[in-house]
Amino acid sequence: MKLPAQSRYTLAADLSICRLLNGMWQVSGAHGAIDPARAVDAMFAYHDAGFTTWDLADHYGPAEDLVGAFRRQFAARYGAERLSEIQAFTKWVPSPGPMTRPIVEEAIGVSLRRMGTACLDLLQFHWWDYADPRYLDALRHLADLRDDGKIRHLALTNFDTDRLAIIAGHGIRVVSNQVQYSLVDRRPDSRMAAWCMEHGVSLLAYGTLLGGLLSERFLGRTEPNSAELNTASLRKYKQMIDAWGGWGLFQELLAVLKRVADRRRVGIANIGARYVLDRPAVAGAIIGARLGAAEHIADNARALNFALDADDVAKIEPILAKSRDLMRIIGDCGDEYR
Ligand SMILES: NC(=O)c1ccc[n+]([C@@H]2O[C@H](COP(=O)([O-])OP(=O)(O)OC[C@H]3O[C@@H](n4cnc5c(N)ncnc54)[C@H](OP(=O)(O)O)[C@@H]3O)[C@@H](O)[C@H]2O)c1
């Protein structure tokens, strides 16, 4: 299978990504057991199909080690010169504390070693507490490490619009901010997307498929109980649906999405992904992959091969208009973590 040219996005002059990124939270252990050998085999299947871009984090269990193993096997199979085909974006999610150069450098060194590379393609930084301004110290050191060649591009995750402006005001360049963005959680539409468009910062979306809730699997189903919500992702986004408008409204949304999907000869998940990919400032959507345990490669490729028109969006919008305002209930992007 070959993905179309529009599946790629230029995140930076020297960094082309697949607009559907493979999310590796799903290998952390919180979504069922993962067999490392099968997981690496699955990484080849994603890559060979054109899904060349990976999203992971220092705290996603073995994710960084799996990228390291994949890179080693990839170099042995295809030659080290083709390693540049892989984009692996990790995160640094430090516990609160001092952010000195040695502390920052040591953390990045661990990721470099685990991932088996001399330079991280993209380092996405998370910070838990805005009242502690040391995130600016961390970002300055990360920017220096970028200038030293250890990080190709610096990025953020779960930062709100006000903090993006503060960081830019300190002259710290970032290429992207990774935030929750879906048909249910449209908070980036309120302020962040416009700011990002103005300042040349891209958004990477997660939660786009609501952990799998946004699919035929849950269409027409009674509200799932805790036993059915058997991954951390399903539990997280069921809570989001509850805050947004509840299971009844979500069923109305799934029913409309099914009509739109049938018209387009795709699936409900494809409509959810396409909707987010078409929003301003969105570079890509990250879709979680339970590597070696479940696989949606061919299905998700369909999201890169069609367009939604005004009729489709006009069918969806009235349902979304009935939902609660998550900006008011939760706050801006990332506030759910603070
Ligand atoms: N920065 C952050 O704070 C943050 C937070 C959460 C996630 N993330 C990133 O985003 C990634 C995505 O994770 P997520 O939790 O947001 O989950 P998600 O992508 O919304 O959902 C992933 C699940 O959707 C199901 N799925 C995938 N394709 C499908 C299709 N075509 N049809 C039907 N179901 C499909 C799969 O379920 P099955 O496996 O059961 O088939 C998969 O495990 C993570 O891996 C991580 O990289 C970042």
Side-chain angles (χ1 to χ4, degrees):
M1 181 179 45
K2 191 106 172 72
L3 295 180
Q6 67 265 24
S7 69
R8 306 298 297 185
Y9 189 95
T10 304
L11 193 60
D14 60 349
L15 187 56
S16 161
I17 66 168
C18 178
R19 296 200 72 198
L20 290 182
L21 296 87
N22 312 311
M24 295 185 75
W25 183 33
Q26 277 66 14
V27 305
S28 66
H31 310 254
I34 294 292
D35 174 76
R38 292 184 55 155
V40 173
D41 286 347
M43 293 177 82
F44 276 99
Y46 277 88
H47 183 95
D48 292 342
F51 291 93
T52 62
T53 312
W54 302 87
D55 181 74
L56 57 152
D58 56 344
H59 65 293
Y60 289 176
E64 290 188 337
D65 307 308
L66 290 175
V67 167
F70 175 53
R71 287 174 51 84
R72 278 192 299 280
Q73 290 184 33
F74 189 96
R77 188 181 297 186
Y78 297 138
E81 66 285 356
R82 279 188 55 189
L83 281 171
S84 59
E85 291 176 11
I86 303 169
Q87 305 85 43
F89 300 168
T90 195
K91 307 184 190 82
W92 183 37
V93 184
S95 302
M99 290 289 128
T100 61
R101 164 88 186 205
I103 287 172
V104 176
E105 192 163 11
E106 166 60 20
I108 298 311
V110 172
S111 292
L112 288 170
R113 282 194 293 282
R114 292 180 73 192
M115 293 169 68
T117 182
C119 178
L120 301 176
D121 294 320
L122 188 81
L123 188 277
Q124 304 166 99
F125 176 68
H126 175 98
W127 189 249
W128 294 105
D129 179 11
Y130 295 143
D132 179 349
R134 287 177 290 186
Y135 67 90
L136 291 168
D137 298 342
L139 283 167
R140 279 191 206 96
H141 294 307
L142 288 169
D144 289 344
L145 289 170
R146 175 191 57 204
D147 299 343
D148 293 349
K150 299 233 167 112
I151 296 169
R152 190 130 65 109
H153 292 286
L154 187 53
L156 303 168
T157 180
N158 294 317
F159 274 81
D160 67 6
T161 313
D162 290 340
R163 252 44 62 163
L164 288 183
I166 290 173
I167 290 163
H170 280 81
I172 300 167
R173 251 182 316 116
V174 299
V175 300
S176 57
N177 187 28
Q178 181 181 136
V179 294
Q180 189 176 153
Y181 205 167
S182 68
L183 277 158
V184 162
D185 185 355
R186 295 185 300 151
R187 286 175 294 161
D189 285 353
S190 300
R191 296 182 62 209
M192 181 163 296
W195 189 93
C196 286
M197 291 292 285
E198 197 180 328
H199 293 86
V201 173
S202 294
L203 293 174
L204 294 176
Y206 66 81
T208 304
L209 301 190
L210 299 165
L213 289 161
L214 202 76
S215 68
E216 279 76 1
R217 189 179 148 202
F218 289 91
L219 174 65
R221 287 268 306 274
T222 52
E223 189 157 0
N225 58 33
S226 53
E228 289 167 282
L229 299 172
N230 58 2
T231 67
S233 192
L234 288 170
R235 290 189 287 278
K236 175 181 173 75
Y237 300 113
K238 173 59 169 56
Q239 281 180 7
M240 196 56 64
I241 288 168
D242 292 345
W244 168 81
W247 193 250
L249 185 60
F250 186 61
Q251 283 301 320
E252 284 185 49
L253 176 61
L254 286 182
V256 160
L257 294 179
K258 175 71 175 148
R259 276 170 43 213
V260 174
D262 285 349
R263 177 177 177 223
R264 296 279 164 214
R265 296 176 192 279
V266 296
I268 289 175
N270 299 142
I271 304 295
R274 190 70 254 168
Y275 182 89
V276 169
L277 288 174
D278 289 346
R279 304 305 297 164
V282 172
I286 306 161
I287 296 186
R290 293 197 294 137
L291 295 172
E295 175 277 282
H296 301 274
I297 294 176
D299 193 14
N300 285 328
R302 296 191 295 172
L304 298 162
N305 266 314
F306 78 102
L308 289 170
D309 66 17
D311 269 6
D312 297 322
V313 176
K315 286 193 180 76
I316 298 169
E317 289 295 340
I319 309 291
L320 304 184
K322 290 196 228 174
S323 66
R324 296 192 196 104
D325 178 1
L326 293 181
M327 274 299 269
R328 199 177 48 75
I329 297 173
I330 301 174
D332 200 356
C333 302
D335 282 0
E336 61 273 33
Y337 292 105
R338 301 188 173 89

